[in-house]
Amino acid sequence: MSKGILFIISGPSGSGKDSILAGVFKKEHNVALSISSVTRPMRPGEKEGDKYHFISREAFESMISHDELLEYNCFVGHYYGTPKQPVLDALEAGRDIFLEIDVNGAAMIRKAMPQAVSLFVVPPTYEELCRRLKGRGTDEPAVIAKRLEAAKGEISRAGEYDYLVTNDKLDQAVEDVLHIMAAERLKAAKQQDLINEVLGKC
Ligand code: 5GP
């Protein structure tokens, strides 16, 4: 059986990665989201185990020292990381998986797993990003200011990615991601099983 494809999706807070992935998961079923471990406080509306496992700093540092993370980063004062085993298991079982991670984490993954396919989501303008982050109403103004500052550094590294997706109209951004997934699955190198099967029936 072919292995699953590891997709990385990054973009500044407020670029709409969550909404894009929600749209993708409605249409694509052989794909899962990696649940990150994080030390930041839960926001209103978030649930343990949905997108994140909310853990203490001590528990996170223990995961680092036991080599249980595929990558991790400290973002705006909190640790965020990808638990290793669930990702490896999904790929081995032929399931595609999305890591929704920041630019530093993405660079770590690209080094360790060069076969990963990376997508960067940008808002149509910086002003629109400010409007979305302030309108979300989930963070304190000081946190929003830090996130906006971090956004500039992240966007300046978008060129490191395989694909750039502009999230102006959500439906279009979801379609773009679905097309990228379809094209990646059609790559000949990922279809050796099919090639063997066709050869076997000649
Ligand atoms: P938020 O606090 O808005 O949920 O996420 C802040 C940033 O952390 C986003 O850029 C998000 O993609 C990133 N992030 C979420 N999970 C992980 C992770 O497991 N590893 C890394 N490196 N970044 C993550």
Side-chain angles (χ1 to χ4, degrees):
M1 187 182 30
S2 301
K3 288 200 177 165
I5 302 174
L6 179 60
F7 290 100
I8 300 171
I9 188 164
S10 303
S13 304
S15 58
K17 294 164 297 199
D18 286 339
S19 310
I20 293 175
L21 287 182
V24 167
F25 291 142
K26 263 191 210 152
K27 297 198 172 163
E28 276 287 343
H29 300 294
N30 191 34
V31 59
L33 177 68
S34 157
I35 313 289
S36 295
S37 291
V38 66
T39 60
R40 80 154 163 72
M42 212 185 269
R43 291 193 190 120
E46 285 184 323
K47 270 198 253 147
E48 162 59 33
D50 239 3
K51 178 180 164 194
Y52 289 126
H53 294 301
F54 295 90
I55 65 174
S56 68
R57 215 174 166 85
E58 293 69 37
F60 197 100
E61 284 168 354
S62 156
M63 290 181 84
I64 297 174
S65 60
H66 289 95
D67 193 26
E68 289 170 9
L69 296 169
L70 216 45
E71 62 72 39
Y72 67 94
N73 189 36
C74 195
F75 179 82
V76 194
H78 297 289
Y79 278 129
Y80 292 75
T82 306
K84 189 186 281 184
Q85 207 52 51
V87 173
L88 300 184
D89 290 347
L91 295 176
E92 201 54 46
R95 197 144 198 239
D96 294 345
I97 192 148
F98 264 96
L99 309 186
E100 189 191 326
I101 61 178
D102 82 312
V103 288
N104 293 318
M108 276 168 87
I109 295 286
R110 260 189 235 106
K111 227 177 187 176
M113 305 173 88
Q115 73 279 19
V117 178
S118 59
L119 291 70
F120 193 92
V121 181
V122 276
T125 61
Y126 189 71
E127 289 66 37
E128 174 62 13
L129 185 70
C130 300
R131 202 187 58 73
R132 287 185 195 167
L133 269 182
K134 289 176 185 160
R136 196 156 83 170
T138 50
D139 289 310
E140 298 293 321
V143 174
I144 293 176
K146 278 190 194 166
R147 284 177 181 267
L148 283 171
E149 200 43 49
K152 285 187 190 156
E154 291 180 85
I155 295 169
S156 69
R157 293 179 60 183
E160 296 172 18
Y161 286 71
D162 297 317
Y163 296 96
L164 190 70
V165 175
T166 305
N167 185 13
D168 185 5
K169 300 263 178 293
L170 179 62
D171 288 352
Q172 183 58 54
V174 170
E175 281 305 310
D176 287 348
V177 173
L178 290 168
H179 287 140
I180 292 167
M181 294 173 74
E184 288 295 329
R185 287 171 178 161
L186 288 172
K187 281 192 169 160
K190 293 192 179 113
Q191 300 201 78
Q192 193 55 50
D193 288 357
L194 178 67
I195 296 171
N196 293 343
E197 199 175 316
V198 174
L199 279 175
K201 286 180 183 161
C202 286

